[in-house]
Amino acid sequence: MSTATVTESPSEVLVEIRDLVIGIQRTRADRLILVDSADFDIRRGEILGLVGESGSGKTMVCRSLIGTLKRRSATIFGGTIMFDGMDLAKIDERRWRSVRGNRIGYVPQSALAGPNPVMTVGGQLVEAVRCNRHRTERDARKRAMELLDLVHIRRPEVVYDQYPFQLSGGMRQRVMIAAALAQDPDIILADEPTTGLDVTVQAEIMKLLREIRTEFNMSVVLVSHDLALIDEVCDRLVVMHGGTCVEVGSVKEVARNPRHPYTIALNRARIELAAPGTELITIRGNPPGVGEWPSGCRFCERCEFVQDDCRVGASPPLLEVESNHWSACIHAGELGAASE
């Protein structure tokens, strides 16, 4: 970012993302930019929420953190992702093999599609445990059983020999979390881990992620559309819209005093806050198409606070509006009272 960056104390920071640009090279001269300004840090031992509408760039940022962008024909065109002295935006596949799964775990979006359907649960966990590490089959099996117990699966000795189709959605998601923990990573990326699960199971999965963070001092990035879930579980929040970060801050501060119109609109549209019998509030219009962003603020066509100067120039950068609270709105100082 040209004007300001989201900067934390170096001792607290595990991952530092700066000016990250992700896109697809459609022809030699034509690029489709999917994310053109991701800028935030992931602190040690925190649960960081990443929210935004579909197409905002959340999943692309997660994929850049585990080196799987090429599987979606995407690549990193600019910026840095600093992790333990390495710039993940520039390392090759050989280096990625020592990071992916080993240092950074990943819980996929769908519990139904995550596990390999033709392998037993135990077989998949043993494979994850032995990856990049020399363990005997016996030691790997013991560790796999420990992982199943760690994620609160009852009768792990039975589940170990079962196939994914024999498990409920919640149990399958627990297996995926166990696989992500197999190498004792520093950070886990959970990309909408409660998709397709009922409310009770969602609560159990969130409780499990909190326990993992506390017990292992592990960082967790939680991608979700559910702001109520983010408020309950996360320490800090990154809001994305139109391929860029528009607000970053503690969950308590952003919930109490949102300083970007998009965050205000998201909060007002929350279903659980609607009075019974009243009409639900929605965000007007549709998100801008990928790569078809308007001049100026990318939320300006949907914003109830829009002014003429919001529609011109480049997309506003993140600026610190209060201590450890950043907003990409040029009128952030005027939004305090309006958000109430």
Side-chain angles (χ1 to χ4, degrees), residues 91-104:
I91 65 175
D92 57 23
E93 183 59 29
R94 182 184 61 82
R95 292 284 301 278
W96 266 117
R97 293 192 191 105
S98 66
V99 175
R100 187 189 303 122
N102 190 34
R103 304 289 306 279
I104 302 178

PDB file of all heavy atoms in Angstrom, residues 91-104:
ATOM      1  N   ILE A  91       8.644 -18.286  -2.997  1.00  0.00           N
ATOM      2  CA  ILE A  91       9.310 -19.581  -2.871  1.00  0.00           C
ATOM      3  C   ILE A  91       8.804 -20.565  -3.927  1.00  0.00           C
ATOM      4  O   ILE A  91       7.694 -20.424  -4.443  1.00  0.00           O
ATOM      5  CB  ILE A  91       9.135 -20.181  -1.455  1.00  0.00           C
ATOM      6  CG1 ILE A  91       7.666 -20.497  -1.163  1.00  0.00           C
ATOM      7  CG2 ILE A  91       9.703 -19.252  -0.412  1.00  0.00           C
ATOM      8  CD1 ILE A  91       7.458 -21.209   0.163  1.00  0.00           C
ATOM      9  N   ASP A  92       9.627 -21.568  -4.244  1.00  0.00           N
ATOM     10  CA  ASP A  92       9.246 -22.550  -5.260  1.00  0.00           C
ATOM     11  C   ASP A  92       8.528 -23.733  -4.619  1.00  0.00           C
ATOM     12  O   ASP A  92       8.385 -23.812  -3.389  1.00  0.00           O
ATOM     13  CB  ASP A  92      10.475 -23.032  -6.039  1.00  0.00           C
ATOM     14  CG  ASP A  92      11.561 -23.626  -5.142  1.00  0.00           C
ATOM     15  OD1 ASP A  92      11.233 -24.069  -4.010  1.00  0.00           O
ATOM     16  OD2 ASP A  92      12.730 -23.654  -5.547  1.00  0.00           O
ATOM     17  N   GLU A  93       8.061 -24.668  -5.437  1.00  0.00           N
ATOM     18  CA  GLU A  93       7.270 -25.790  -4.943  1.00  0.00           C
ATOM     19  C   GLU A  93       8.063 -26.661  -3.975  1.00  0.00           C
ATOM     20  O   GLU A  93       7.501 -27.219  -3.023  1.00  0.00           O
ATOM     21  CB  GLU A  93       6.760 -26.631  -6.121  1.00  0.00           C
ATOM     22  CG  GLU A  93       5.860 -27.793  -5.717  1.00  0.00           C
ATOM     23  CD  GLU A  93       4.620 -27.376  -4.950  1.00  0.00           C
ATOM     24  OE1 GLU A  93       4.133 -26.242  -5.157  1.00  0.00           O
ATOM     25  OE2 GLU A  93       4.142 -28.175  -4.120  1.00  0.00           O
ATOM     26  N   ARG A  94       9.357 -26.786  -4.193  1.00  0.00           N
ATOM     27  CA  ARG A  94      10.176 -27.598  -3.283  1.00  0.00           C
ATOM     28  C   ARG A  94      10.141 -27.013  -1.876  1.00  0.00           C
ATOM     29  O   ARG A  94       9.998 -27.745  -0.888  1.00  0.00           O
ATOM     30  CB  ARG A  94      11.618 -27.645  -3.797  1.00  0.00           C
ATOM     31  CG  ARG A  94      12.547 -28.513  -2.947  1.00  0.00           C
ATOM     32  CD  ARG A  94      13.974 -28.439  -3.441  1.00  0.00           C
ATOM     33  NE  ARG A  94      14.500 -27.094  -3.374  1.00  0.00           N
ATOM     34  CZ  ARG A  94      15.003 -26.551  -2.257  1.00  0.00           C
ATOM     35  NH1 ARG A  94      15.031 -27.247  -1.131  1.00  0.00           N
ATOM     36  NH2 ARG A  94      15.462 -25.315  -2.263  1.00  0.00           N
ATOM     37  N   ARG A  95      10.257 -25.694  -1.745  1.00  0.00           N
ATOM     38  CA  ARG A  95      10.185 -25.055  -0.436  1.00  0.00           C
ATOM     39  C   ARG A  95       8.774 -25.165   0.135  1.00  0.00           C
ATOM     40  O   ARG A  95       8.595 -25.312   1.348  1.00  0.00           O
ATOM     41  CB  ARG A  95      10.580 -23.575  -0.541  1.00  0.00           C
ATOM     42  CG  ARG A  95      12.036 -23.321  -0.880  1.00  0.00           C
ATOM     43  CD  ARG A  95      12.962 -23.540   0.307  1.00  0.00           C
ATOM     44  NE  ARG A  95      12.659 -22.695   1.438  1.00  0.00           N
ATOM     45  CZ  ARG A  95      13.073 -21.420   1.564  1.00  0.00           C
ATOM     46  NH1 ARG A  95      13.768 -20.850   0.589  1.00  0.00           N
ATOM     47  NH2 ARG A  95      12.783 -20.736   2.649  1.00  0.00           N
ATOM     48  N   TRP A  96       7.769 -25.099  -0.740  1.00  0.00           N
ATOM     49  CA  TRP A  96       6.392 -25.186  -0.265  1.00  0.00           C
ATOM     50  C   TRP A  96       6.127 -26.519   0.426  1.00  0.00           C
ATOM     51  O   TRP A  96       5.327 -26.593   1.363  1.00  0.00           O
ATOM     52  CB  TRP A  96       5.403 -25.010  -1.414  1.00  0.00           C
ATOM     53  CG  TRP A  96       4.928 -23.607  -1.609  1.00  0.00           C
ATOM     54  CD1 TRP A  96       5.120 -22.807  -2.698  1.00  0.00           C
ATOM     55  CD2 TRP A  96       4.195 -22.816  -0.662  1.00  0.00           C
ATOM     56  NE1 TRP A  96       4.541 -21.575  -2.491  1.00  0.00           N
ATOM     57  CE2 TRP A  96       3.962 -21.556  -1.259  1.00  0.00           C
ATOM     58  CE3 TRP A  96       3.712 -23.061   0.624  1.00  0.00           C
ATOM     59  CZ2 TRP A  96       3.272 -20.544  -0.598  1.00  0.00           C
ATOM     60  CZ3 TRP A  96       3.018 -22.054   1.278  1.00  0.00           C
ATOM     61  CH2 TRP A  96       2.811 -20.821   0.673  1.00  0.00           C
ATOM     62  N   ARG A  97       6.780 -27.587  -0.002  1.00  0.00           N
ATOM     63  CA  ARG A  97       6.536 -28.903   0.595  1.00  0.00           C
ATOM     64  C   ARG A  97       6.936 -28.936   2.066  1.00  0.00           C
ATOM     65  O   ARG A  97       6.410 -29.745   2.834  1.00  0.00           O
ATOM     66  CB  ARG A  97       7.305 -29.978  -0.176  1.00  0.00           C
ATOM     67  CG  ARG A  97       6.786 -30.191  -1.593  1.00  0.00           C
ATOM     68  CD  ARG A  97       7.369 -31.447  -2.215  1.00  0.00           C
ATOM     69  NE  ARG A  97       7.074 -31.501  -3.635  1.00  0.00           N
ATOM     70  CZ  ARG A  97       7.949 -31.250  -4.594  1.00  0.00           C
ATOM     71  NH1 ARG A  97       9.203 -30.941  -4.280  1.00  0.00           N
ATOM     72  NH2 ARG A  97       7.604 -31.314  -5.869  1.00  0.00           N
ATOM     73  N   SER A  98       7.858 -28.082   2.460  1.00  0.00           N
ATOM     74  CA  SER A  98       8.263 -28.031   3.867  1.00  0.00           C
ATOM     75  C   SER A  98       7.398 -27.076   4.686  1.00  0.00           C
ATOM     76  O   SER A  98       7.494 -27.048   5.918  1.00  0.00           O
ATOM     77  CB  SER A  98       9.737 -27.598   3.979  1.00  0.00           C
ATOM     78  OG  SER A  98       9.902 -26.257   3.530  1.00  0.00           O
ATOM     79  N   VAL A  99       6.556 -26.294   3.997  1.00  0.00           N
ATOM     80  CA  VAL A  99       5.692 -25.318   4.674  1.00  0.00           C
ATOM     81  C   VAL A  99       4.253 -25.796   4.710  1.00  0.00           C
ATOM     82  O   VAL A  99       3.615 -25.827   5.770  1.00  0.00           O
ATOM     83  CB  VAL A  99       5.773 -23.943   3.966  1.00  0.00           C
ATOM     84  CG1 VAL A  99       4.783 -22.966   4.609  1.00  0.00           C
ATOM     85  CG2 VAL A  99       7.184 -23.386   4.019  1.00  0.00           C
ATOM     86  N   ARG A 100       3.726 -26.198   3.548  1.00  0.00           N
ATOM     87  CA  ARG A 100       2.323 -26.592   3.427  1.00  0.00           C
ATOM     88  C   ARG A 100       2.040 -27.837   4.264  1.00  0.00           C
ATOM     89  O   ARG A 100       2.670 -28.874   4.083  1.00  0.00           O
ATOM     90  CB  ARG A 100       1.987 -26.846   1.960  1.00  0.00           C
ATOM     91  CG  ARG A 100       0.512 -27.107   1.701  1.00  0.00           C
ATOM     92  CD  ARG A 100       0.299 -27.569   0.273  1.00  0.00           C
ATOM     93  NE  ARG A 100       0.800 -26.620  -0.706  1.00  0.00           N
ATOM     94  CZ  ARG A 100       1.712 -26.922  -1.618  1.00  0.00           C
ATOM     95  NH1 ARG A 100       2.238 -28.128  -1.675  1.00  0.00           N
ATOM     96  NH2 ARG A 100       2.107 -26.004  -2.484  1.00  0.00           N
ATOM     97  N   GLY A 101       1.117 -27.746   5.185  1.00  0.00           N
ATOM     98  CA  GLY A 101       0.796 -28.876   6.056  1.00  0.00           C
ATOM     99  C   GLY A 101       1.729 -28.977   7.241  1.00  0.00           C
ATOM    100  O   GLY A 101       1.302 -29.226   8.365  1.00  0.00           O
ATOM    101  N   ASN A 102       3.005 -28.751   7.009  1.00  0.00           N
ATOM    102  CA  ASN A 102       4.000 -28.867   8.070  1.00  0.00           C
ATOM    103  C   ASN A 102       4.002 -27.647   8.990  1.00  0.00           C
ATOM    104  O   ASN A 102       3.996 -27.776  10.210  1.00  0.00           O
ATOM    105  CB  ASN A 102       5.388 -29.063   7.449  1.00  0.00           C
ATOM    106  CG  ASN A 102       6.434 -29.432   8.484  1.00  0.00           C
ATOM    107  OD1 ASN A 102       6.142 -30.124   9.443  1.00  0.00           O
ATOM    108  ND2 ASN A 102       7.645 -28.959   8.285  1.00  0.00           N
ATOM    109  N   ARG A 103       4.000 -26.447   8.402  1.00  0.00           N
ATOM    110  CA  ARG A 103       4.001 -25.209   9.179  1.00  0.00           C
ATOM    111  C   ARG A 103       2.652 -24.496   9.122  1.00  0.00           C
ATOM    112  O   ARG A 103       2.297 -23.760  10.050  1.00  0.00           O
ATOM    113  CB  ARG A 103       5.090 -24.254   8.641  1.00  0.00           C
ATOM    114  CG  ARG A 103       6.501 -24.821   8.615  1.00  0.00           C
ATOM    115  CD  ARG A 103       7.072 -24.956  10.012  1.00  0.00           C
ATOM    116  NE  ARG A 103       7.013 -23.736  10.760  1.00  0.00           N
ATOM    117  CZ  ARG A 103       7.900 -22.726  10.637  1.00  0.00           C
ATOM    118  NH1 ARG A 103       8.891 -22.830   9.769  1.00  0.00           N
ATOM    119  NH2 ARG A 103       7.787 -21.651  11.393  1.00  0.00           N
ATOM    120  N   ILE A 104       1.942 -24.680   8.015  1.00  0.00           N
ATOM    121  CA  ILE A 104       0.639 -24.036   7.829  1.00  0.00           C
ATOM    122  C   ILE A 104      -0.384 -25.111   7.464  1.00  0.00           C
ATOM    123  O   ILE A 104      -0.289 -25.724   6.397  1.00  0.00           O
ATOM    124  CB  ILE A 104       0.688 -22.956   6.730  1.00  0.00           C
ATOM    125  CG1 ILE A 104       1.731 -21.885   7.076  1.00  0.00           C
ATOM    126  CG2 ILE A 104      -0.689 -22.308   6.561  1.00  0.00           C
ATOM    127  CD1 ILE A 104       1.888 -20.807   6.013  1.00  0.00           C
TER     128      ILE A 104
END
